[in-house]
Amino acid sequence: MLEIIVAAIGIATFLNIFLKKLQIPTIIGFIATGTIISYLFGLHDATNSHDLKLIGEFGVVFLMFTIGLEFSVKHLMRMKKEVFLYGGLQVILTATLITMIAMYAFGLDSNAAVIVGAALALSSTAIVLKLLNESGDINQEYGQRSLGILLFQDVAVIPILLMITIFSVKDIPVHSILLQTLVAAIGLFILLWLTGKYLLEPFLFEVTKISSHEIFIGSILFLVLAASSIAHLIGFSYSLGAFLAGMLIAETRYKHQIEADLIPFRDLLLGVFFVTVGMQIQFAVIADYVLLITLLLTGLIVLKVSMIFLLLQFETSKRVALKSALSLFQLGEFGLVVFELASAKKLVDPTTSQVLIVVIILSMILTPFLLRHISAITDYLMPAKNGEAVDMARLSKHYSDHVIIIGYGRLGRHIAKLLERNGLKYLVVEQNIKTVEDAQKQGKPIVFGNAAQKHILEALNIYEASSVVIALGNSEKLYLVCETIRELSQDVKTVVKVNSYQEKEMLMELGLTHILVETEQTAQSMYKEALKVDIPGMH
């Protein structure tokens, strides 16, 4: 086992150094590493590969945990339409269509067809979210819509695994299995909710009092693995437990520090996961069924992109719908698990399972190349028209000496109107998706994103901006945004509106000087108005 790990690390390191020079994503290097070591050590049927798969699965666990950190319960409720409506429709309609094709075009029995349809309806959470996070596109509108669909797909894994159990077990009534799963789901939710509400904050407070970075990281690793293990023991996936744990911790004050500390663990284990994906590539299967694999790969990509585009075009602009569809064209890593399990329980023919596994992996390999050029592909397939939403994060590279407006409420909109009236260039960043959609339909230069994140401000070309105007009402968020701006640039002029002198004093500690107190400015205006002498006949 040790020699396999050493070989994998060495090959992955040197291969990715070479691929990086060619600007090829590291995911491809890890997948290629897995293929190489599987043939070097004969791991296609070896027990050692199971150990590596288990380690790699925790890469997805930590990815889902960090996603959960970005999603408090309130945030999830704000995205309920993206997650439950469009995510649900995408999975159900795509799975139904593929099931019908599998039954009537390929002659699979009904049980096998349902499993195949459900598994192929899923996309790759691990690859898509890693790439969207790296590029910062996770904060764009298409990134958020893709994320919503992916979250529902992760939840959909539970009923898919449940179907496999129902189809393979003949002596237990279906209603008994369903009732057991429902009770387990309610129990898991109550257990984690009570832990988060009454134990989590005090526990983390005691850990931070010790002032030991190692103990802090260790405690977080414990929380993630404990939540994952509890979920798995009850019968759900490790990643679902991790996602719920992340959502609970997102409600605490330690969210940002935890996220920063866990990124190295997440990325390392995700690398192992992609190595295990590469280990499942079998060239003999590709050679024997190359035509079928090519047809299936092409057909499934076209079907999934078309389905997602048709669903989303009614809710957003066609360009955003297309980008969301293109980002989710691939088949998912959970499909690999489903087909291995279904094959072991003799629900799906081993040859069919191997062919579909190869199709899934090939689609995953194509993903980094497509996502890297997704804006250019969208421009080619659907050029932006006047009044349509445009990719502001990409266009902002051509902006300089412009004003960045953070927040597009009443104050932000009024400032934008004044800048337009005077012919000045500006870009807006806003975190309310509905506000962004409405403004983009009017052709406003606005992008969806959290201005407290550095890559969002960098995407808006803050280094060449003439000034930044912050029009936010939330005091806590206001301070975080100002702190981020000062870390990026000490030179850019930052104009801030605050509600009290206490807030002004806090921001002055960051070195800001252009701070306007709302009550003070209102008082001065009212004072001047009161002292005006009215001239008869003039108003």
Side-chain angles (χ1 to χ4, degrees), residues 123-198:
S123 301
S124 176
T125 300
I127 292 182
V128 174
L129 292 187
K130 176 178 172 59
L131 294 170
L132 290 180
N133 274 310
E134 287 177 352
S135 66
D137 283 1
I138 190 70
N139 295 295
Q140 291 192 34
E141 187 186 352
Y142 91 89
Q144 289 290 294
R145 294 194 180 279
S146 301
L147 176 57
I149 292 173
L150 286 170
L151 286 177
F152 186 88
Q153 290 181 358
D154 288 336
V155 175
V157 172
I158 299 167
I160 294 172
L161 296 176
L162 181 62
M163 280 194 302
I164 294 176
T165 303
I166 293 171
F167 292 158
S168 60
V169 177
K170 306 298 182 184
D171 53 348
I172 301 178
V174 172
H175 70 271
S176 176
I177 298 174
L178 292 174
L179 180 63
Q180 182 181 348
T181 303
L182 179 62
V183 171
I186 294 172
L188 174 65
F189 180 79
I190 292 175
L191 177 62
L192 292 180
W193 181 78
L194 289 174
T195 302
K197 187 173 178 64
Y198 297 106

Side-chain angles (χ1 to χ4, degrees), residues 26-179:
T26 54
I27 289 174
I28 303 302
F30 285 122
I31 292 175
T33 299
T35 305
I36 293 169
I37 65 169
S38 69
Y39 280 94
L40 280 178
F41 295 95
L43 295 180
H44 286 304
D45 299 311
T47 55
N48 287 332
S49 63
H50 173 74
D51 298 331
L52 282 177
K53 286 177 187 176
L54 188 61
I55 296 170
E57 187 173 349
F58 280 95
V60 182
V61 163
F62 281 99
L63 176 69
M64 292 304 295
F65 176 74
T66 54
I67 294 167
L69 283 176
E70 295 295 327
F71 277 81
S72 62
V73 175
K74 292 178 182 177
H75 193 169
L76 187 61
M77 288 301 100
R78 283 201 301 270
M79 285 190 67
K80 57 182 178 292
K81 183 180 285 188
E82 286 82 1
V83 177
F84 301 109
L85 177 59
Y86 293 106
L89 285 173
Q90 184 274 322
V91 171
I92 292 169
L93 294 177
T94 307
T96 301
L97 190 55
I98 295 175
T99 298
M100 301 300 290
I101 294 171
M103 286 177 62
Y104 297 109
F106 292 92
L108 296 184
D109 66 77
S110 58
N111 287 355
V114 168
I115 293 171
V116 168
L120 296 181
L122 307 180
S123 301
S124 176
T125 300
I127 292 182
V128 174
L129 292 187
K130 176 178 172 59
L131 294 170
L132 290 180
N133 274 310
E134 287 177 352
S135 66
D137 283 1
I138 190 70
N139 295 295
Q140 291 192 34
E141 187 186 352
Y142 91 89
Q144 289 290 294
R145 294 194 180 279
S146 301
L147 176 57
I149 292 173
L150 286 170
L151 286 177
F152 186 88
Q153 290 181 358
D154 288 336
V155 175
V157 172
I158 299 167
I160 294 172
L161 296 176
L162 181 62
M163 280 194 302
I164 294 176
T165 303
I166 293 171
F167 292 158
S168 60
V169 177
K170 306 298 182 184
D171 53 348
I172 301 178
V174 172
H175 70 271
S176 176
I177 298 174
L178 292 174
L179 180 63

Side-chain angles (χ1 to χ4, degrees), residues 234-250:
I234 294 176
F236 301 112
S237 66
Y238 287 113
S239 58
L240 179 64
F243 176 75
L244 293 174
M247 284 185 64
L248 294 175
I249 291 177

